[in-house]
Amino acid sequence: MGYVDPTSSRDLLGNRSLCFIFICAFGLVTLLQQILYGKNYIKRYLERSDGSLEFNSTSCKELRQEITDVKVLTMVKTSELFERWRNLQVCKWEQNKEETDHFKMSLSRCCNAPSFLFTTKRNTPSGTKLRYEVDTSGILHISPEIFKMFPDDMPYSKSQFKKCAVIGNGGIIKNSKCGREIDAADFVFRCNIPPISDTYSEDVGTKTDLVTINPSIITERFQKLEKWRKPFYDVLRNYENSSVVLPAFYNTRNTDVSFRVKYMLDDYESNRGVFFFHPQYLLNVQRFWAVQGVRAKRLSSGLMLVTAAMELCEEVHLYGFWAFPMNPSGIFITHHYYDNVKPRPGFHAMPYEIFNFMHMHARGILHVHTSPCR
């Protein structure tokens, strides 16, 4: 039997005692912090959590309530709103069927995308005097030639698609690695022919089923298609066989250039669907969101698509939607994922649009993705 130094045994026992005291002290401090800081301390702990908590767990209900308690955007500082949103990210999103159905019913009553999203031969017969969305004094007579450009009926029906992805162009999607997840959706909406080349596809994906085109893009980048028809056609080829939709009847200036897109594609014998937003649908959507606090000269193309998707899809996921110069962690980001060109001041009310999306996310109506995909 070897010799044991009695002093080393005492040191060992002493160290164990010190460790025990330290652990107890740490536990006491933790308890005191919970008492002193209440939910705020718990939130800071959740923010560091690696796992996903169930959407309807007690903690997540409290965190979701912290978002919905903010009834008006001006109630809180942006930094506080960001903190509440960051805290909510520890919760796994889950659709609330009751809330979603109630929201869809409200949209159906006001707007009815499955019947009136696009002008069709069914909802806009030949000979109709179509009133513009903004230039309300302007009337467009639907001649047989114009009538021929309309589809017979709406190409999409109510809740036709199970899972849809609506892709905004915000810098929040940059470095997200969400491309694969986006491309796995049943139907993908994009805004204003954004770049989806190899440079960006890892973040934004490439699948596109419907893409909007703002006539100002055709005017500024492609000289109203008076000469630059082939370059524009080549840009559209990046979207494979996706359909395009234009606000031809927003005002009188948009009509001619929007029609040229249809004529150009016909000349190239393209099978791509070309649709025109129904002006009354867009007007109804504007009124619907005004009640929700989104009052702007013009709703963004993204919000129009999200509104339509809510009726055409069972479940809606948003990527690239953010209206602030920094991400939820306070790090500055570019306005778009492909450039930093700002929109015209006062034209859109983007922060209010995103604020509504946050509420809808917290209520389980749609899923807003602002974190990198796994």
Side-chain angles (χ1 to χ4, degrees):
M1 187 172 178
Y3 172 75
V4 177
D5 185 351
T7 57
S8 65
S9 298
R10 285 196 299 273
D11 289 344
L12 184 61
L13 288 170
N15 288 338
R16 285 177 177 171
S17 298
L18 285 172
C19 287
F20 179 75
I21 292 168
F22 175 78
I23 291 168
C24 289
F26 179 78
L28 182 61
V29 169
T30 301
L31 181 62
L32 286 172
Q33 284 177 315
Q34 290 188 21
I35 293 169
L36 287 171
Y37 297 113
K39 284 195 296 183
N40 287 334
Y41 177 77
I42 296 169
K43 282 196 295 183
R44 283 195 293 274
Y45 171 75
L46 290 177
E47 197 173 343
R48 295 195 301 269
S49 173
D50 294 328
S52 294
L53 302 179
E54 291 301 318
F55 195 66
N56 287 315
S57 65
T58 302
S59 296
C60 288
K61 283 180 180 177
E62 291 178 359
L63 292 169
R64 290 194 283 122
Q65 189 66 45
E66 295 219 333
I67 296 288
T68 55
D69 278 347
V70 184
K71 304 301 181 187
V72 183
L73 183 57
T74 52
M75 276 179 60
V76 295
K77 294 179 180 177
T78 303
S79 57
E80 185 182 337
L81 182 65
F82 283 8
E83 182 186 357
R84 295 183 187 208
W85 181 253
R86 282 198 313 271
N87 293 333
L88 188 58
Q89 301 313 300
V90 301
C91 299
K92 184 168 59 177
W93 185 84
E94 185 179 306
Q95 187 179 50
N96 183 319
K97 198 75 171 62
E98 185 178 346
E99 288 267 19
T100 303
D101 287 347
H102 179 73
F103 191 87
K104 287 175 183 284
M105 197 176 299
S106 298
L107 280 180
S108 181
R109 285 196 298 265
C110 93
C111 309
N112 192 4
S115 297
F116 290 101
L117 178 61
F118 306 144
T119 49
T120 66
K121 289 175 181 172
R122 183 169 182 175
N123 63 37
T124 311
S126 182
T128 297
K129 294 180 179 179
L130 191 67
R131 192 176 296 277
Y132 282 91
E133 180 191 350
V134 174
D135 298 340
T136 50
S137 59
I139 299 292
L140 180 69
H141 176 75
I142 303 301
S143 65
E145 183 184 356
I146 295 174
F147 183 69
K148 280 193 302 185
M149 289 192 283
F150 299 162
D152 292 338
D153 206 345
M154 267 293 296
Y156 314 120
S157 56
K158 183 178 180 180
S159 299
Q160 178 178 346
F161 310 103
K162 182 169 177 56
K163 182 178 179 180
C164 292
V166 186
I167 317 305
N169 298 331
I172 191 76
I173 201 173
K174 195 173 181 179
N175 300 320
S176 68
K177 305 292 189 294
C178 287
R180 185 180 300 177
E181 191 172 298
I182 289 167
D183 288 345
D186 299 307
F187 197 91
V188 179
F189 300 81
R190 295 188 192 271
C191 309
N192 295 328
I193 52 174
I196 53 172
S197 62
D198 292 343
T199 306
Y200 307 105
S201 60
E202 188 177 21
D203 295 329
V204 304
T206 58
K207 180 178 180 179
T208 309
D209 295 286
L210 182 71
V211 61
T212 64
I213 304 176
N214 192 320
S216 64
I217 295 173
I218 303 166
T219 299
E220 293 163 13
R221 286 172 50 189
F222 302 99
Q223 299 183 1
K224 297 184 179 180
L225 297 185
E226 291 172 349
K227 295 179 181 177
W228 289 36
R229 301 175 91 218
K230 182 66 165 60
F232 181 63
Y233 179 73
D234 290 340
V235 167
L236 289 186
R237 288 173 66 183
N238 293 323
Y239 302 92
E240 297 182 347
N241 293 319
S242 69
S243 298
V244 299
V245 56
L246 302 101
F249 312 122
Y250 169 66
N251 57 29
T252 53
R253 292 191 309 275
N254 281 8
T255 305
D256 182 57
V257 71
S258 298
F259 286 174
R260 287 184 189 185
V261 173
K262 172 65 175 170
Y263 296 143
M264 181 270 290
L265 289 172
D266 285 348
D267 287 347
Y268 279 100
E269 298 182 346
S270 170
N271 293 322
R272 188 186 303 275
V274 180
F275 307 120
F276 307 120
F277 282 119
H278 196 294
Q280 189 59 50
Y281 174 81
L282 296 184
L283 199 58
N284 290 341
V285 168
Q286 185 102 10
R287 290 168 179 164
F288 175 85
W289 285 108
V291 175
Q292 319 303 319
V294 183
R295 296 179 181 87
K297 187 174 180 181
R298 177 70 167 167
L299 299 181
S300 72
S301 300
L303 181 54
M304 294 174 192
L305 290 183
V306 172
T307 309
M310 285 302 304
E311 290 197 76
L312 303 179
C313 313
E314 291 182 22
E315 191 174 295
V316 176
H317 292 252
L318 310 189
Y319 302 83
F321 281 87
W322 197 246
F324 306 98
M326 68 283 293
N327 67 17
S329 298
I331 299 170
F332 282 93
I333 55 176
T334 56
H335 185 70
H336 296 128
Y337 67 82
Y338 47 85
D339 66 32
N340 199 29
V341 177
K342 307 290 194 302
R344 234 189 307 167
F347 196 65
H348 296 311
M350 300 293 285
Y352 292 91
E353 293 184 11
I354 302 303
F355 178 68
N356 272 274
F357 293 156
M358 287 178 165
H359 269 241
M360 293 167 73
H361 177 105
R363 291 163 57 194
I365 297 173
L366 53 69
H367 188 171
V368 181
H369 298 261
T370 57
S371 302
C373 294
R374 294 178 181 178

